[in-house]
Amino acid sequence: MVLDVLGLSSEESTAYRALVSMPSAGPGDLAPQVGGDRDEAARLLGVLERKGLAARSVGDIARFVASPPGTAFGALLLQRQNELRLAELELGSLAELYRAASAGRGVAEVVDVIIGVPALRQRLEQLQLGAKSEVMTFVKAPVAIISGAENTAEDDAVARGVRYRVLLERAMLDEDVDIDGIVAARNAGEEIRIAESLPLKLFVVDREIALLPLIRSSDVATTGALLVHQSGLLDALIALFELEWATAMEVTASADGFAGSGVDDLDVQILTLLLTGLTDQAVAGHLRTSLRTVQRRVRRLMDLARVQTRMQLGYQASRLGWLPGESGHHRG
């Protein structure tokens, strides 16, 4: 991969790596290593020679030896580093120009309109790839733009340390989200909460720009979005997110931290899903278990909490610290 970044094709990279591992090689020696015939190996050796990555053997000009990697790639690596530094300077200059232009936006320029699913998908991907610190999003049914499984830009952003706060509308549990997906997202580092309902779809990046998908019907041809730049409107959308986030149910799928309480992972998942408003049957479906198992587990949780009703169970679970995000008064 490093060699690819430095300007070699995958075939050239494979050939150079093979040549480095040999004292010397001719086309016949290299062919099995590159998965080609003798002619293809000879062509690759010629390319490496022209790029200064291989030289003819003194004892036999039909054979080649690899140039030392430090010598061969040192200058090229320095050139790439200089190019990256220049690109960073140019990016900083463009960012300053953009900020200056944003500060001078008039009322009519605060909001841009995006029309069509392809354009919306592209802009959503760009925003996530460019995110630096935080993404806040309302995920509301129906899914008409991009599913969680398709949104690989989100995975990339989380992997590089961008904080993701995802607020799911409960209806999403019946459409595009399951407990396995929630577990995977939480393990990757995302923060997830569930709300009974959400007023709109929303995607805010670094508190600097927001995307509001607008879906008037199931016909994706009518789908568009508003792109909101820094303004009082953006401030209001951020405040709306924080308000909904503060009152939503945090999702957890692990009993870590509840040692000695008698509560295991399945208990926590059942309790969490029930408190989002799902029925016993829906909880059983999400957890791929039986209705009887869910009801038996709930009864056991009520016994552990020493309560008689499910309403009491919710209160006592909070007091005992069984609910995500609750410190509780006592554990175990």
Side-chain angles (χ1 to χ4, degrees), residues 20 26 30 40 45 47 56 58 81 104 116 149 159 167 184 204 208 262 272 295 316:
V20 165
L30 193 65
E40 174 64 9
L45 285 168
V47 171
R56 303 274 177 168
V58 175
Q81 290 172 338
L167 187 49
V204 182
E208 294 178 352
T272 299
Q295 293 174 337
Q316 190 71 348

Side-chain angles (χ1 to χ4, degrees), residues 104-118:
R105 286 178 183 268
V107 174
E109 298 173 312
V110 167
V111 177
D112 298 332
V113 179
I114 301 171
I115 300 175
V117 171

Side-chain angles (χ1 to χ4, degrees), residues 130-274:
K132 299 184 292 293
S133 58
E134 183 180 31
V135 171
M136 303 179 292
T137 179
F138 285 167
V139 183
K140 178 179 174 68
V143 175
I145 303 165
I146 185 170
S147 69
E150 296 172 316
N151 191 8
T152 57
E154 177 178 330
D155 299 332
D156 293 340
V158 172
R160 68 172 186 273
V162 176
R163 182 188 186 192
Y164 260 75
R165 288 197 284 162
V166 180
L167 187 49
L168 297 172
E169 186 174 64
R170 185 165 60 83
M172 288 298 300
L173 294 173
D174 299 322
E175 179 172 343
D176 187 56
V177 179
D178 58 22
I179 193 68
D180 292 338
I182 290 174
V183 171
R186 281 181 54 84
N187 289 342
E190 295 187 27
E191 300 170 43
I192 301 174
R193 296 186 182 184
I194 298 177
E196 174 65 23
S197 63
L198 292 172
L200 45 78
K201 293 176 180 282
L202 178 64
F203 194 87
V204 182
V205 177
D206 296 332
R207 298 176 179 263
E208 294 178 352
I209 195 165
L211 187 71
L212 280 78
L214 304 175
I215 303 172
R216 299 183 61 184
S217 71
S218 59
D219 181 7
V220 296
T222 66
T223 297
L226 300 180
L227 193 66
V228 181
H229 300 274
Q230 289 184 318
S231 59
L233 177 56
L234 178 60
D235 293 341
L237 291 172
I238 293 172
L240 174 63
F241 177 89
E242 296 291 4
L243 180 63
E244 294 285 352
W245 181 261
T247 58
M249 175 71 187
E250 186 178 346
V251 175
T252 189
S254 171
D256 292 347
F258 302 145
S261 66
V263 177
D264 61 17
D265 289 355
L266 183 57
D267 290 329
V268 170
Q269 293 169 16
I270 289 173
L271 187 56
T272 299
L273 291 176
L274 284 176

Side-chain angles (χ1 to χ4, degrees), residues 87-105:
E88 288 176 349
L89 290 173
E90 179 66 13
L91 182 59
S93 176
L94 290 172
E96 286 298 326
L97 289 172
Y98 180 80
R99 278 193 289 270
S102 297
R105 286 178 183 268

Side-chain angles (χ1 to χ4, degrees), residues 12 42-55 64:
E12 294 163 1
R43 183 189 72 79
L44 288 170
L45 285 168
V47 171
L48 294 179
E49 183 181 23
R50 289 191 295 275
K51 291 187 174 184
L53 302 178
F64 293 78

